[in-house]
Structure formats: structure tokens, C-alpha cells
Amino acid sequence: ELKVEQNPLFLSMQEGKNYTIYCNYSTTSDRLYWYRQDPGKSLESLFVLLSNGAVKQEGRLMASLDTKARLSTLHITAAVHDLSATYFCAVDRAGGTSYGKLTFGQGTILTVHP
Amino acid sequence: EAGVAQSPRYKIIEKRQSVAFWCNPISGHATLYWYQQILGQGPKLLIQFQNNGVVDDSQLPKDRFSAERLKGVDSTLKIQPAKLEDSAVYLCASSLDRWSGGYEQYFGPGTRLTVT
């Protein structure tokens, strides 16, 4: 059974600081997704990582994937209050040409304060 | 482009009652997913459709949950009879088919179910 673990689960950051959220998973997969969820809202897709070594950046967020280490990171640069949300990673446990069988991590609740 | 639509947004029922949720995916999206998100947890995939066929329902509690996508467009998820532990947000998502690079899933606003 695929297990996806995020850490930390709770992250309190000061504005302007940098930090990294880690996502470890237990079985081979080369497709990993990062989502953002605001309180009471649905999930917003942030990044889709489809191969080993993939790196994507959008604004203050950068995601990377190391399939050999079964690890993805979400790096936050110079945090601002608007980044406060819950961040989920999700791993696709389907293989080959199949896709979409996502297993989500527990989520990291990020709070950015002045 | 319109997003994934879901209704109702909120539903409160008593245990042992039945309930149904509706989802209309983004136009042209062949793949449709239903997820259950219990408070404080990540979403859990219940069922995946490709057009009107089921691709994966391995995590769907089939003794009480059922889902259909008869015409390959909108879908209904039903719970009968509901239990207290079914209280959760039910999310619908859709994506293009795999031949179109349909890896990215787009989520609807969800239906918050409370079972009392």
C-alpha cells in the first residue's frame, strides 16, 4: 500500500523567511502533484511533476521531484501572508499508461505571520 | 471556461438516511473522480471514471456507496444508508483523457455532508 508522508504537518513562518515542506512516499512513482487548499475551499493545483529531476517554480513557490529518493520538496521563498493555507502532495500510484489514482499526504498547515 | 460544478454544497442528514451528490465536470474532460475528505485529512479517492466506465473503485465502500456516470458527462454519488463516519466533504474532480496529457485534476467546490 502506497504511503505518503508530509512534514512538517504544521508550519508557522515569519514573513520574509524561507522554508521547505517535504513529501516522502513509499513505492515507485514518477508523478507527483502539489495542491493548495484554503479553509473551507476546494483544492487548487500548484504543480504537476512528471519525471525524475523535475523542478517547477511559480512565484515564491518551487517544487522538485527525486524519484530515486521517493522525495518531493516544496520550497517557499520570502513568505508572505497570502501563502497561508494547507498544502498537500499527492502521488499517482497508477503505472504505465494509467494515471489518476492519487494518494494524498496528510497536508501541511502553513501560517505566515508578520 | 466553467469549472467543475457540484451540488448541493451542504447537506445534513440523519444516520441511516440516503443522500445523493451531483457533479458536472469541465466540458470535454473524459475522466471524472470522486474523493472523500474527512476533516483534517487529505482527500481519498473513491472512484474514477473514464467516460462512462469505471477505471478504479477499489476504495469505494460498495455496501453503502454507489456512483454512476451514465452518459459519460455528469455523475452522481449516492450513500445509502449513511453512517456517522460518512461525515466529510465529497469532492469531484475531472481531467482530460490520457492521450491528451490529462494528468492534472481540477476540483469542484465540494459537498459538505454532516450525518447526525
Side-chain angles (χ1 to χ4, degrees):
Chain A
E1 180 189 347
L2 173 60
K3 293 190 188 307
V4 181
E5 294 186 348
Q6 290 181 232
N7 74 84
L9 298 182
F10 301 92
L11 179 54
S12 180
M13 294 178 64
Q14 267 192 314
E15 281 189 332
K17 298 292 188 183
N18 304 331
Y19 210 85
T20 300
I21 299 171
Y22 297 89
C23 175
N24 291 273
Y25 53 99
S26 61
T27 62
T28 301
S29 175
D30 58 3
R31 300 173 198 151
L32 190 137
Y33 307 76
W34 284 97
Y35 288 89
R36 168 182 172 146
Q37 188 174 39
D38 291 294
K41 304 289 186 183
S42 191
L43 281 82
E44 173 191 354
S45 177
L46 295 175
F47 300 108
V48 179
L49 304 171
L50 299 177
S51 62
N52 185 40
V55 177
K56 291 196 174 180
Q57 182 163 5
E58 180 73 34
R60 302 175 187 273
L61 301 178
M62 183 173 71
S64 66
L65 177 61
D66 181 344
T67 59
K68 294 179 181 176
R70 299 177 186 169
L71 171 69
S72 179
T73 61
L74 180 66
H75 187 72
I76 303 156
T77 301
V80 293
H81 179 72
D82 286 351
L83 290 179
S84 297
T86 299
Y87 293 85
F88 291 97
C89 65
V91 177
D92 194 339
R93 66 182 184 275
T97 56
S98 297
Y99 66 95
K101 297 177 177 54
L102 300 189
T103 298
F104 281 78
Q106 315 96 303
T108 296
I109 299 174
L110 171 65
T111 304
V112 182
H113 54 88
Chain B
E1 179 182 87
V4 177
Q6 290 188 246
S7 68
R9 294 294 312 278
Y10 305 91
K11 190 75 177 178
I12 301 174
I13 62 172
E14 295 182 351
K15 59 184 179 184
R16 291 187 290 274
Q17 286 187 323
S18 61
V19 65
F21 313 126
W22 174 82
C23 172
N24 192 33
I26 293 173
S27 178
H29 280 196
T31 311
L32 185 147
Y33 313 81
W34 282 103
Y35 289 86
Q36 179 192 58
Q37 186 176 21
I38 293 172
L39 186 64
Q41 299 181 17
K44 171 186 165 185
L45 178 66
L46 294 176
I47 189 166
Q48 177 186 5
F49 291 95
Q50 176 77 20
N51 296 310
N52 61 350
V54 175
V55 175
D56 181 8
D57 63 358
S58 58
Q59 299 190 101
L60 186 73
K62 298 181 187 64
D63 57 334
R64 298 183 301 106
F65 286 65
S66 64
E68 60 184 13
R69 193 184 184 200
L70 292 177
K71 297 182 180 178
V73 180
D74 55 352
S75 175
T76 303
L77 176 69
K78 296 180 182 177
I79 308 175
Q80 181 179 12
K83 293 185 175 181
L84 295 176
E85 59 260 37
D86 299 332
S87 294
V89 175
Y90 290 84
L91 295 164
C92 180
S94 69
S95 67
L96 292 167
D97 62 46
R98 61 176 179 262
W99 298 280
S100 306
Y103 299 108
E104 191 163 9
Q105 297 183 25
Y106 298 84
F107 283 80
T111 296
R112 183 176 298 275
L113 173 67
T114 302
V115 182
T116 63

